[in-house]
């Protein structure tokens, strides 16, 4: 495939064996990328096959994206196969939903490892590669697209572990955007909403495909934004979080310094209540937590 928005660009997609990642990989393939399809097992090979059958270029690299050494080897294999790396789409994620008071240590640790470290580890190894290229004087127009969630941006009842990991991914995105700018790397994140094996068990009815007309919850609707953010032409957009669902793309405006109270000396605990309530009266109400 010669034309396309990402023609000739090498792009890794983690967790691309099903759901959103699979759609991103397929669309990247249609748009001319050399796609490195990652997932835990054989699913990666099936998606790489699908891309090649449609005339695209792809290779499968089964690996645990949240394992330090495997993430490094994922980056190295992409470079070995296609000669370079242009973009990393961090998509792999899991959830283990439970109310916090009953959540187990394993449920906490697993979600934080897969979702948060599963973003940081591939990002760290890809960034080291791009830093080296940049330091050698090679032009770099690299892109990282992370995957956060409305649960991370607003909070979500019953998903404390997942929301904490996804909020951390949003913070990681804005820090990485600043740190990697000097190497020619942009870093953005999407907060998608779509019908996938992850969401169907909970939102099956709400996300069901209509009999006719636009299937807004189809996961493929999210992928064009990912492709654009991975393209060479997106170099002026970094440190942003985009919510995307169906035909809607919005930019999340994140934490801001809000109104304040101030005095020229230390506050006494007993005097804080009144001014603090007055301050909250001047502040915008927080967005509701999902499921509250
Ligand atoms: N579907 C939605 O509405 C929605 C909403 C918000 C955020 N997200 C996020 O989008 C991403 C994709 O979600 P999805 O709905 O397609 O889920 P999904 O469960 O359908 O797909 C996730 C894929 O990631 C893979 N994966 C899991 N752990 C991995 C690891 N350690 N290394 C490599 N691959 C791994 C899984 O095998 C699976 O193929 C996730 O990060 C998810 O949190 C999805």
């Amino acid at each position: 495939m010669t034309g396309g928005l990402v023609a000739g660009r090498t792009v890794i997609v983690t967790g691309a064996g099903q759901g959103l990642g699979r759609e991103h990989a397929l669309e990247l393939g249609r748009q001319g990328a050399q796609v490195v399809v990652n997932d835990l097992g054989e699913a990666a090979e099936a998606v790489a096959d699908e891309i090649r059958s449609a005339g695209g270029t792809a290779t499968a690299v089964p690996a645990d994206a949240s394992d330090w050494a495997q993430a490094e080897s994922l980056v190295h294999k992409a470079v070995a196969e296609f000669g370079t790396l242009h973009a990393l789409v961090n998509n792999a994620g899991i959830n283990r939903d439970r109310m916090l008071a009953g959540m187990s240590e394993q449920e906490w640790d697993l979600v934080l490892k897969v979702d948060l470290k599963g973003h940081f580890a591939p990002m760290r190894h890809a960034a080291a590669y791009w830093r080296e290229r940049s330091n050698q004087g090679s032009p770099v127009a690299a892109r990282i697209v992370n995957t956060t969630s409305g649960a991370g941006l607003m909070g979500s009842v019953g998903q404390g572990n997942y929301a904490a990991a996804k909020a951390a991914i949003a913070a990681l995105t804005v820090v990485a955007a600043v740190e990697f700018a000097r190497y020619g790397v942009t870093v953005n994140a999407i907060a998608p909403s779509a019908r996938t094996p992850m969401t169907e068990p909970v939102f099956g009815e709400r996300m069901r495909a209509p009999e006719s007309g636009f299937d807004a919850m189809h996961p493929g609707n999210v992928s064009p934004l990912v492709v654009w953010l991975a393209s060479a032409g997106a170099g002026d957009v970094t440190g942003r979080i985009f919510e995307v669902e169906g035909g809607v793309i919005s930019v999340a405006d994140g934490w801001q310094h809000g109104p304040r109270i101030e005095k020229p000396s230390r506050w006494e605990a007993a005097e804080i209540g009144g001014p603090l309530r007055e301050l909250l009266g001047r502040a915008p109400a927080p967005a509701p937590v999902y499921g509250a």
Side-chain angles (χ1 to χ4, degrees):
M1 229 166 261
T2 46
L5 204 64
V6 284
R9 284 172 75 74
T10 300
V11 185
I12 296 174
V13 186
T14 67
Q18 64 175 34
L20 285 158
R22 174 175 169 276
E23 296 293 335
H24 302 340
L26 294 176
E27 184 61 19
L28 285 159
R30 282 191 285 267
Q31 295 283 341
Q34 298 160 160
V35 190
V36 181
V37 183
N38 159 261
D39 208 293
L40 287 172
E42 288 164 9
E45 192 56 63
V47 174
D49 272 347
E50 226 179 314
I51 294 171
R52 289 190 293 258
S53 303
T57 307
T59 192
V61 180
D64 176 350
S66 67
D67 177 276
W68 194 254
Q70 291 184 46
E72 181 174 32
S73 138
L74 171 62
V75 169
H76 289 173
K77 282 180 179 163
V79 174
E81 179 77 21
F82 295 118
T84 184
L85 178 67
H86 299 99
L88 165 68
V89 179
N90 271 325
N91 165 82
I94 57 162
N95 59 338
R96 291 291 183 273
D97 297 351
R98 197 174 303 284
M99 299 301 260
L100 286 168
M103 188 173 289
S104 70
E105 183 180 6
Q106 289 75 15
E107 287 164 338
W108 175 268
D109 287 349
L110 182 66
V111 170
L112 268 288
K113 176 172 189 285
V114 173
D115 292 30
L116 183 52
K117 189 173 175 187
H119 266 60
F120 172 59
M123 168 191 279
R124 150 70 172 78
H125 295 299
Y129 168 74
W130 289 320
R131 181 181 61 182
E132 194 184 332
R133 305 248 323 159
S134 166
N135 288 344
Q136 288 165 351
S138 303
V140 174
R143 311 279 173 256
I144 296 173
V145 184
N146 290 330
T147 308
T148 179
S149 162
L153 303 179
M154 311 296 171
S156 178
V157 172
Q159 295 194 298
N161 47 359
Y162 180 78
K166 291 295 188 181
I169 288 169
L172 186 65
T173 299
V174 297
V175 174
V178 175
E179 289 195 8
F180 300 165
R182 71 197 73 168
Y183 312 127
V185 184
T186 65
V187 191
N188 294 285
I190 59 162
S193 182
R195 185 178 63 245
T196 68
M198 178 187 278
T199 51
E200 247 178 335
V202 189
F203 301 114
E205 198 51 46
R206 189 171 76 73
M207 291 187 165
R208 190 189 297 275
E211 302 271 308
S212 62
F214 181 37
D215 179 8
M217 299 318 292
H218 190 285
N221 298 329
V222 174
S223 305
L225 174 63
V226 171
V227 170
W228 188 83
L229 289 170
S231 70
D236 56 333
V237 177
T238 195
R240 295 305 190 117
I241 316 281
F242 299 98
E243 292 190 274
V244 49
E245 172 181 325
V248 180
I249 298 173
S250 64
V251 57
D253 55 12
W255 294 101
Q256 307 282 347
H257 297 291
R260 62 184 188 176
I261 47 174
E262 190 176 1
K263 60 183 270 192
S265 57
R266 183 179 190 270
W267 288 91
E268 292 300 329
E271 67 178 348
I272 285 179
L276 193 81
R277 291 197 177 90
E278 181 274 326
L279 174 68
L280 290 175
R282 285 191 277 128
V289 171
Y290 288 112

